[in-house]
Coordinates of all heavy atoms in Angstrom, one line a residue:
Chain B
R38 N 13.0 4.8 10.6 CA 14.3 5.3 10.2 C 14.2 6.3 9.1 O 13.1 6.4 8.4 CB 15.2 4.2 9.7 CG 14.8 3.5 8.4 CD 15.8 2.3 8.1 NE 15.4 1.6 6.9 CZ 16.1 0.5 6.5 NH1 17.0 -0.1 7.2 NH2 15.7 -0.1 5.3
A40 N 16.7 7.9 6.2 CA 18.0 8.1 5.5 C 18.3 9.6 5.3 O 17.4 10.4 5.3 CB 18.0 7.4 4.2
S63 N 11.9 -4.9 3.9 CA 13.3 -4.6 3.7 C 14.2 -5.1 4.8 O 15.5 -5.2 4.6 CB 13.5 -3.1 3.5 OG 13.1 -2.4 4.6
R67 N 16.4 -10.0 9.0 CA 17.7 -9.4 9.4 C 17.7 -8.7 10.7 O 18.6 -8.6 11.5 CB 18.2 -8.5 8.3 CG 18.4 -9.1 7.0 CD 19.1 -8.2 6.0 NE 18.4 -7.0 5.8 CZ 18.8 -5.7 6.0 NH1 20.0 -5.5 6.4 NH2 18.1 -4.7 5.7
L86 N 24.0 -6.1 8.0 CA 23.8 -4.7 7.6 C 24.2 -4.5 6.2 O 25.2 -5.0 5.7 CB 24.5 -3.8 8.6 CG 23.8 -3.7 10.0 CD1 24.8 -3.1 11.0 CD2 22.5 -2.9 9.9
R87 N 23.5 -3.6 5.6 CA 23.7 -3.2 4.2 C 23.9 -1.7 4.1 O 23.4 -1.0 5.0 CB 22.6 -3.6 3.3 CG 22.2 -5.1 3.4 CD 21.2 -5.5 2.5 NE 20.0 -4.7 2.4 CZ 18.8 -5.2 2.2 NH1 18.6 -6.6 2.1 NH2 17.7 -4.5 2.1
A88 N 24.4 -1.2 3.0 CA 24.6 0.3 2.9 C 23.3 1.0 3.0 O 23.2 2.1 3.5 CB 25.4 0.6 1.6
D89 N 22.2 0.4 2.4 CA 21.0 1.1 2.4 C 20.3 1.1 3.8 O 19.1 1.6 3.9 CB 20.0 0.6 1.3 CG 19.7 -0.9 1.5 OD1 20.2 -1.6 2.4 OD2 18.9 -1.4 0.6
D90 N 20.9 0.5 4.8 CA 20.4 0.6 6.2 C 20.9 1.9 6.8 O 20.5 2.2 8.0 CB 20.8 -0.6 7.0 CG 20.2 -1.9 6.6 OD1 19.0 -1.9 6.2 OD2 20.9 -3.0 6.6
T91 N 21.8 2.6 6.2 CA 22.3 3.8 6.7 C 21.1 4.8 6.9 O 20.4 5.2 6.0 CB 23.3 4.4 5.8 OG1 24.5 3.6 5.7 CG2 23.8 5.8 6.2
A92 N 21.0 5.3 8.2 CA 19.8 6.2 8.5 C 19.9 6.6 9.9 O 20.6 6.0 10.7 CB 18.5 5.5 8.2
Y94 N 17.9 6.4 13.2 CA 16.8 5.4 13.7 C 16.1 6.1 14.9 O 16.8 6.4 15.9 CB 17.4 4.1 14.0 CG 17.8 3.2 12.8 CD1 18.9 3.6 12.0 CD2 17.0 2.2 12.5 CE1 19.1 2.8 10.9 CE2 17.3 1.4 11.3 CZ 18.3 1.7 10.6 OH 18.6 1.0 9.4
V117 N 26.4 2.4 7.6 CA 27.0 1.2 7.1 C 27.9 1.5 5.9 O 27.4 1.9 4.8 CB 25.9 0.2 6.7 CG1 26.5 -1.2 6.3 CG2 24.9 0.0 7.9

Side-chain angles (χ1 to χ4, degrees):
Chain B
R38 68 186 181 185
S63 58
R67 300 188 299 123
L86 285 165
R87 311 185 307 216
D89 61 0
D90 294 319
T91 294
Y94 284 73
V117 183

